[in-house]
Amino acid sequence: MSKRTIIEIAERVGVSPATVSRALNNVPGVSPDKRRQIVAVANELNYHPNAIARSLQGQRTNTVAYVADVSNRPAADLLFKDFITVLAERCARFNLDLLIHPATNGAANLADLARLLRSGRADGLILADTRQHDQRLKLLAEQNLSFIAFGRSAVDVPYAYVDVDGELGIYTATRHLIERGHRRIAFLGMPLDYSYALHRRDGYLRAMREFALPVDPQHFTVALTNESEARLTMERLLALPEPPTAFVAASDMLAIYAMSVAMNHGLLAGRDYAITGFDDLPLAAHTAPPLTTMQQPFDQVCDELIAMFLRVLGNEPGPRQVLLPPQLIVRATA
């Protein structure tokens, strides 16, 4: 709306345009009665304060930017749609707008994130798809910009984060298979430059080490990014003289691709071999047979992300590092 609308509201209520601006932007100095009158007239005229104008005045836009890496997406990122739906709902509960900001993890992206915040389009960032040595976190922290991370990194600066304990999750899944008598257990992993992929790998290695089981290099695969790579790996594993009797996949999609290859060889999960996934996609309960997997607590993740974002934005007390456990969902494949 134009400046003339502010003047119209001021004339209708009998106050100055500056008072209208203060009332609509929740600035102190306006009586509750006048504020109610101004808001009522603004609603009648369908007037909404401009977010960019508020940012130029040093006020909040009530917008959070979710920065997701769009380069080299691993198979697990088919989960993104379900996750972002929950996050958007949580934002709405707190009258926050959600801005999805696609980005690459290259050097050019570092300055882009700082520009995004300084442009006034968002009050702060939720940075996803963290890398093991993520320089974006270091840049944002050093420039004292408002952000939190969905995921951990080994950078040597303090930063706030929420994460799901992927190491614990894969450890739990691997132990579940070991306790059912499996000894030749293969690992199907994702690119290790992503922190969550590294943690999930470590969970497999921890369980194998704890039970004194050797890790056969032929059974250990990482850097799987798509269906073709997963299928080729599964074909290779099944062709071994002594193929694995169980498979731990770092994502549900990797598990589903592996099950499809095994099915082409006449092998049925839960009968001829065991397999587990990670994520608990809606599809996981409807595979044939239903997939045993580690469930990410996305409702809790999104609650913690928004709560921590608001704490960081308001410099309020409270935890700055939250690590949530996934839950083993036992179905028919293990």
Side-chain angles (χ1 to χ4, degrees):
M1 283 289 186
S2 67
K3 187 175 180 180
R4 180 171 174 268
T5 306
I6 294 180
I7 296 174
E8 289 176 357
I9 297 171
E11 290 174 347
R12 291 269 295 271
V13 180
V15 297
S16 69
T19 299
V20 172
S21 180
R22 286 198 301 272
L24 295 179
N25 288 292
N26 293 317
V27 176
V30 183
S31 70
D33 183 58
K34 283 297 181 188
R35 192 184 301 276
R36 281 194 293 271
Q37 292 181 51
I38 290 168
V39 169
V41 173
N43 289 337
E44 181 184 335
L45 297 177
N46 195 29
Y47 172 75
H48 303 284
N50 184 276
I52 295 176
R54 289 200 307 268
S55 68
L56 292 174
Q57 297 167 11
Q59 299 171 29
R60 292 185 182 177
T61 63
N62 292 327
T63 298
V64 52
Y66 184 83
V67 181
D69 188 354
V70 296
S71 63
N72 300 317
R73 307 298 286 177
D77 283 353
L78 292 176
L79 193 65
F80 177 78
K81 178 181 175 182
D82 296 314
F83 169 77
I84 211 67
T85 299
V86 178
L87 184 62
E89 189 274 333
R90 293 306 193 272
C91 286
R93 288 187 186 181
F94 290 90
N95 295 317
L96 293 172
D97 291 324
L98 180 62
L99 170 66
I100 307 299
H101 185 77
T104 63
N105 206 51
N109 180 231
L110 298 177
D112 181 50
L113 294 180
R115 282 197 300 270
L116 173 63
L117 283 179
R118 294 197 176 103
S119 71
R121 286 183 287 160
D123 296 322
L125 305 177
I126 297 175
L127 190 63
D129 301 309
T130 54
R131 306 288 182 115
Q132 178 64 359
H133 299 284
D134 203 318
Q135 294 304 304
R136 300 174 300 173
L137 297 172
K138 190 169 184 179
L139 173 78
L140 293 168
E142 289 175 345
Q143 297 193 16
N144 201 30
L145 297 171
S146 297
F147 78 98
I148 66 172
F150 179 24
R152 290 163 287 164
S153 177
V155 293
D156 56 349
V157 295
Y159 63 96
Y161 69 76
V162 176
D163 200 6
V164 175
D165 195 340
E167 179 179 345
L168 174 63
I170 292 295
Y171 167 83
T172 301
T174 307
R175 178 169 181 158
H176 180 76
L177 296 174
I178 293 171
E179 290 176 342
R180 275 145 190 77
H182 294 281
R183 295 297 179 264
R184 295 198 307 275
I185 303 173
F187 179 70
L188 306 174
M190 296 179 291
L192 296 183
D193 47 350
Y194 288 96
S195 292
Y196 60 81
L198 189 68
H199 298 150
R200 295 178 193 185
R201 178 209 64 180
D202 290 347
Y204 167 80
L205 295 176
R206 173 184 157 198
M208 297 293 281
R209 183 171 60 248
E210 184 175 299
F211 286 86
L213 295 177
V215 176
D216 187 336
Q218 294 186 97
H219 295 173
F220 183 77
T221 306
V222 293
L224 298 174
T225 62
N226 56 52
E227 180 177 358
S228 295
E229 293 174 359
R231 286 181 173 276
L232 287 172
T233 297
M234 190 62 175
E235 291 282 4
R236 176 183 62 79
L237 290 169
L238 293 179
L240 293 173
E242 288 189 306
T245 65
F247 303 83
V248 175
S251 76
D252 284 352
M253 289 310 303
L254 290 178
I256 290 168
Y257 298 148
M259 289 169 63
S260 175
V261 172
M263 182 70 74
N264 292 339
H265 287 263
L267 302 174
L268 182 66
R271 183 191 69 189
D272 304 308
Y273 68 96
I275 190 166
T276 62
F278 196 110
D279 291 328
D280 196 25
L281 295 172
L283 178 62
H286 303 287
T287 57
L291 177 65
T292 294
T293 186
M294 298 304 304
Q295 183 184 75
Q296 297 209 54
F298 279 152
D299 286 346
Q300 191 177 1
V301 166
C302 292
D303 286 339
E304 294 288 355
L305 283 173
I306 297 305
M308 187 176 294
F309 176 79
L310 293 173
R311 285 197 299 271
V312 168
L313 199 61
N315 196 26
E316 298 173 356
R320 291 295 193 267
Q321 297 179 344
V322 173
L323 188 60
L324 301 171
Q327 178 184 359
L328 178 65
I329 305 297
V330 178
R331 298 193 179 103
T333 64

